[in-house]
Amino acid sequence: LAVYEWELMFFFFQAEDGIRCLVRSRGLGDVYKRQEQARAMWNLVVEVAPETREAWLRLEQDAMERGEWELLAHLLQRHSTVTPSASEAQALQLRRVQLLDRSLMMSERAQGELDELIARGAANSAMLVYRAELAERLEGKLSAAGYWVRAAMLADDRSEAVPLLCGAARAYLDLGVYDKAQQALEQIGDVRTEQVLTLKLEAELGDSGPTVRRGDLLDELSAVSNAQPSHPAGWLMDWLLYQSYPADGPTCVHFGGQ
């Protein structure tokens, strides 16, 4: 021990111009201890002052970094009940639902919580979009399409609503529910993009009603589409070839001068 102390003192004399003091290395135990102390402090803050947003964010980040998904789900639920912001509460609830579905593999529970929020009128467009995704996986396209339409009704502007209504129409068309597809497309209004017109034409071709509107849609589509005239005209020819009622006779439309 005496020799060790002498060598240590000798070291400090030799390093007088450099190292001035001995700093002990902090091991992982010290790091974990500090993390536990910080965690305990933020837990105390949210108990005493639950409106402190920073404390919730620190705890949520800590749980996420440690992969403690059940704890994170619990924190998100508690945080959503104390935040004064309705939009933040909805965002926290959506994060919890996504966590239940994707990380905890509890899709049915996530679906149930969303259904409860929807029934209470506490769901926004983003929640309904995620509910549609769950429905498509767990229930089928027909159920999902209804949620796409409901999500579009709550969208902040038309630019958000149009893709949702197109998604619903696409699902209805794939299932052969043409009247529902037409109803969804009618809510789009006067938007005349190639995608919207194509869906409207498909819905009309699937219907057995008058064909005048089909010609109008083909003319509109020719004005906005980069496709050759033979491409949209082919849709009408397909409809004529596979008509179930040949007694209706041929249908003529004027399309691009042809």
Side-chain angles (χ1 to χ4, degrees):
L1 181 60
V3 173
Y4 174 78
E5 290 179 347
W6 182 83
E7 289 177 349
L8 185 62
M9 293 297 291
F10 177 76
F11 168 77
F12 276 111
F13 281 121
Q14 292 294 323
E16 185 176 357
D17 294 334
I19 302 173
R20 296 291 180 174
C21 60
L22 178 63
V23 179
R24 293 185 178 182
S25 175
R26 295 182 180 271
L28 288 176
D30 294 323
V31 175
Y32 293 147
K33 185 177 180 180
R34 290 199 305 273
Q35 290 176 342
E36 289 293 336
Q37 290 173 343
R39 196 174 300 122
M41 180 189 72
W42 292 119
N43 273 310
L44 179 61
V45 171
V46 298
E47 293 296 334
V48 176
E51 71 281 0
T52 308
R53 186 171 183 268
E54 183 183 358
W56 289 108
L57 296 179
R58 292 293 186 95
L59 289 172
E60 291 162 12
Q61 181 66 27
D62 178 69
M64 185 168 60
E65 289 176 354
R66 289 185 293 145
E68 295 190 6
W69 307 125
E70 291 185 3
L71 175 60
L72 179 56
H74 177 66
L75 289 169
L76 292 171
Q77 176 64 26
R78 290 181 59 199
H79 189 185
S80 68
T81 62
V82 298
T83 179
S85 170
S87 60
E88 185 177 31
Q90 290 175 326
L92 291 166
Q93 289 162 342
L94 180 57
R95 278 186 62 196
R96 172 182 162 83
V97 165
Q98 292 171 333
L99 184 67
L100 290 173
D101 177 38
R102 297 170 180 172
S103 300
L104 295 173
M105 305 303 172
M106 302 171 67
S107 300
E108 292 184 357
R109 181 172 177 181
Q111 177 181 300
E113 291 195 8
L114 274 178
D115 286 342
E116 183 180 347
L117 291 167
I118 293 170
R120 297 204 324 253
N124 58 15
S125 179
M127 290 179 175
L128 285 163
V129 168
Y130 199 76
R131 181 63 180 87
E133 293 177 12
L134 284 172
E136 191 168 13
R137 278 191 277 128
L138 302 177
E139 303 166 24
K141 283 187 176 182
L142 185 60
S143 177
Y147 288 108
W148 292 123
V149 174
R150 294 175 68 177
M153 295 173 65
L154 294 179
D156 293 332
D157 54 58
R158 181 174 291 188
S159 63
E160 294 179 10
V162 170
L164 297 174
L165 291 168
C166 286
R170 179 75 271 162
Y172 284 132
L173 288 171
D174 290 343
L175 295 170
V177 188
Y178 300 107
D179 58 335
K180 289 286 188 180
Q182 289 174 340
Q183 291 173 15
L185 292 168
E186 285 173 1
Q187 296 186 46
I188 293 178
D190 58 355
V191 176
R192 289 292 186 270
T193 64
E194 183 175 355
Q195 180 188 22
V196 172
L197 291 172
T198 300
L199 290 170
K200 287 185 175 182
L201 181 59
E202 287 188 47
E204 288 290 332
L205 293 178
D207 192 7
S208 58
T211 60
V212 176
R213 180 168 165 77
R214 298 185 182 102
D216 294 338
L217 286 169
L218 283 167
D219 279 334
E220 287 189 69
L221 191 56
S222 68
V224 300
S225 175
N226 293 323
Q228 294 298 318
S230 59
H231 177 64
W235 291 326
L236 185 59
M237 292 303 300
D238 288 340
W239 174 80
L240 289 170
L241 289 172
Y242 294 100
Q243 266 296 321
S244 301
Y245 305 98
D248 290 347
T251 301
C252 298
V253 296
H254 179 271
F255 176 74
Q258 301 183 21

